[in-house]
Amino acid sequence: MKIAVLAVQGAFAEHEKMLSDLGEESIEIRKKSDLEQDFDGLILPGGESTVMGKLIRELGIFDCLREKIENGMPTLGTCAGLILMAKNIAGGESPHLATLPVTVKRNAYGRQIGSFTATEHVSGIGEMPLTFIRAPYVESVEKGVDVIATAGGKIVGVKYKNQIGVAFHPEVTKNTAFHEYFLKMCAACLPSDTEQLSSNLPSL
Ligand code: GLN
C-alpha cells in the first residue's frame, strides 16, 4: 500500500519512519500536485494546527484534502492532525477540515503537564503506551463517533467511519501497534480484486 503523509509542518518524518519500519511505502503531501497520485491512506501528523491549517489553505490543498476524507479515504490524525479534522474547536476558534464530528480542546492539559505518557487500553489494540505533547483532548463527540481511547477520564481517541483521530503520538514510540491497526483499516478499504479487474477491463 501507499500512504500519504501531510508534510507541510510537524512530525511527518516520524510517521514515515514507522511506515517504512512496517514495510509500507509513504509519499509526502507538500503541494497540490502531490494529491494527484494514487494512495490508500492519509496521515495528518502532529505539529501546530494553526500553522498547518494556514499552510494547507495557502498551498491550495485544503479542499482536495477535505474531499478525499469525505469520500472515504482512510485517514489518521494525530494530535494537531486530530485538531485539523475536528468539526469544532472549543473556545470559538475556527475549525479547519471539519470532517470529524467532535469538539476538541487545544492545549487541554495546560503548560505544566503539557507532555506526559500513560499506558492505556485502546479498543481494537489493547494496552499501549500513549505519549502526549501539548495535546488536545476530545471534549464531546456526536452520534456515530466511537471512543477508542481515554486517559485520565478524558477522551483521547475516536473513530468515525474512515477517520481515526488521536490526541497522542503513536509515531514517537517504538510500539507499532497503532500504525498496524490503521494499516489494517486501509487494507480493508482497498477495492477487491474483482473490482480492480473489472475497472481494468476495456468497456465493450
Ligand atoms: N498544541 C498543538 C496544537 O494545538 C498540538 C501539539 C501536537 O501536535 N503535539 O496544534
Side-chain angles (χ1 to χ4, degrees):
M1 284 187 296
K2 206 188 267 182
I3 307 297
V5 184
L6 181 67
V8 295
Q9 194 261 338
F12 53 88
E14 288 80 354
H15 280 288
E16 290 165 10
K17 163 92 176 51
M18 190 145 267
L19 291 168
S20 107
D21 288 350
L22 289 169
E24 297 293 339
E25 193 185 335
S26 59
I27 55 164
E28 295 189 337
I29 305 296
R30 294 174 178 272
K31 53 184 187 311
K32 207 171 174 178
S33 58
D34 295 333
L35 284 161
E36 286 161 14
Q37 302 167 76
D38 277 337
F39 51 88
D40 311 302
L42 171 67
I43 295 181
L44 308 176
E48 194 53 46
S49 55
T50 45
V51 177
M52 280 199 265
K54 185 168 180 277
L55 288 172
I56 59 176
R57 286 174 177 89
E58 284 176 5
L59 292 164
I61 56 180
F62 183 99
D63 290 337
C64 186
L65 276 181
R66 191 169 54 188
E67 251 166 55
K68 289 214 179 268
I69 300 172
E70 279 188 338
N71 289 338
M73 175 62 68
T75 303
L76 167 65
T78 58
C79 203
L82 159 68
I83 299 168
L84 284 183
M85 290 156 85
K87 191 168 141 193
N88 303 296
I89 302 175
E93 212 176 293
S94 300
H96 301 283
L97 298 165
T99 52
L100 181 65
V102 301
T103 298
V104 291
K105 187 171 160 60
R106 291 184 61 210
N107 302 317
Y109 297 94
R111 278 170 189 268
Q112 294 310 316
I113 49 163
S115 300
F116 60 99
T117 57
T119 298
E120 297 288 348
H121 183 271
V122 179
S123 298
I125 297 176
E127 294 247 303
M128 59 172 280
L130 311 183
T131 303
F132 296 87
I133 307 167
R134 292 178 302 106
Y137 59 64
V138 176
E139 218 174 52
S140 60
V141 302
E142 291 181 23
K143 211 167 145 233
V145 177
D146 292 326
V147 172
I148 60 166
T150 59
K154 305 288 184 201
I155 301 171
V156 295
V158 292
K159 183 170 186 299
Y160 174 72
K161 297 179 181 172
N162 55 315
Q163 303 176 60
I164 300 175
V166 293
F168 51 90
H169 286 268
E171 77 285 8
V172 302
T173 69
K174 295 230 176 310
N175 187 312
T176 54
F178 204 84
H179 284 73
E180 288 173 51
Y181 170 74
F182 174 61
L183 289 167
K184 261 188 217 151
M185 177 170 133
C186 298
C189 290
L190 287 176
S192 67
D193 288 350
T194 4
E195 275 172 305
Q196 265 175 357
L197 191 68
S198 56
S199 69
N200 290 336
L201 289 174
S203 48
L204 298 171

